[in-house]
């Protein structure tokens, strides 16, 4: 977790963000929140947000979808993304 945070902080790009997001999915799975194969990322994000009473996962997922499906660069300030990611990691 510390490695991903440091990497996001030092080099905020699509690759480091995508790796940190995938790491978050693994951590959530370990905590009992596993994405089903038939769920979209957005559907899974809503489940996580309800579980933790937040909107952080949906916001992060919006950025991932922009990157993956719209082929856009991340349009969020790096400090916002890092904070959302950290908040979820600490739940």
């Amino acid at each position: 977790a510390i490695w991903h945070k440091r990497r996001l902080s030092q080099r905020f790009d699509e690759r480091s963000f995508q790796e940190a997001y995938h790491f978050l999915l693994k951590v959530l799975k370990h905590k009992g929140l596993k994405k089903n194969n038939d769920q979209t990322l957005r559907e899974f994000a809503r489940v996580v947000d309800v579980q933790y009473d937040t909107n952080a996962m949906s916001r992060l997922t919006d950025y991932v979808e922009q990157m993956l499906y719209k082929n856009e660069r991340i349009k969020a300030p790096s400090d916002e993304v890092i904070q959302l990611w950290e908040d979820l990691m600490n739940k």
Side-chain angles (χ1 to χ4, degrees):
I2 293 170
W3 181 82
H4 288 287
K5 180 184 174 191
R6 186 176 306 136
R7 184 162 179 188
L8 276 175
S9 298
Q10 292 174 350
R11 189 179 69 182
F12 187 73
D13 61 12
E14 283 79 11
R15 183 175 180 196
S16 60
F17 176 55
Q18 194 169 10
E19 287 173 358
Y21 187 85
H22 285 286
F23 182 74
L24 176 61
L25 292 176
K26 288 179 185 179
V27 169
L28 290 168
K29 180 179 176 182
H30 184 71
K31 293 180 177 185
L33 291 168
K34 181 180 184 253
K35 180 186 166 300
N36 296 324
N37 290 336
D38 62 339
Q39 278 181 311
T40 64
L41 287 175
R42 187 175 296 199
E43 290 168 340
F44 180 66
R46 281 191 218 116
V47 170
V48 173
D49 286 344
V50 167
Q51 176 71 28
Y52 291 127
D53 191 29
T54 185
N55 69 352
M57 190 66 179
S58 290
R59 289 170 62 194
L60 282 177
T61 301
D62 285 344
Y63 297 132
V64 168
E65 287 177 337
Q66 286 173 10
M67 212 175 51
L68 294 176
Y69 305 126
K70 296 179 182 176
N71 222 9
E72 296 176 358
R73 292 189 121 351
I74 300 171
K75 294 182 179 177
S78 61
D79 56 337
E80 176 189 352
V81 170
I82 293 166
Q83 187 62 55
L84 291 168
W85 184 82
E86 267 189 322
D87 290 348
L88 286 165
M89 290 295 293
N90 291 328
K91 298 265 181 198

